[in-house]
Amino acid sequence: MADLIPSWAGGLPADAPPRPGTPEYEAYAAKQREHRQGDTAPGPDPATSPSADAIH
């Protein structure tokens, strides 16, 4: 019932994620997992960084 309340009246905002257990949620979760996996690109190695020699 609360999902039917408009956002201007205190209901869920338009960009709220879907509720777990719904088909929309499965698609949303898959998209989030894919997005997170893309963010795990390795950065520069601190041991080989030029500034590593500055620390004694």
Side-chain angles (χ1 to χ4, degrees):
M1 182 76 175
D3 293 344
L4 302 176
I5 299 173
S7 60
W8 59 264
L12 290 173
D15 61 347
R19 293 195 180 265
T22 62
E24 296 86 12
Y25 181 78
E26 297 304 321
Y28 171 79
K31 184 178 174 185
Q32 291 297 317
R33 283 190 297 269
E34 180 181 304
H35 181 67
R36 267 188 244 126
Q37 288 176 351
D39 289 346
T40 59
D45 184 11
T48 60
S49 173
S51 62
D53 294 332
I55 301 172
H56 299 281

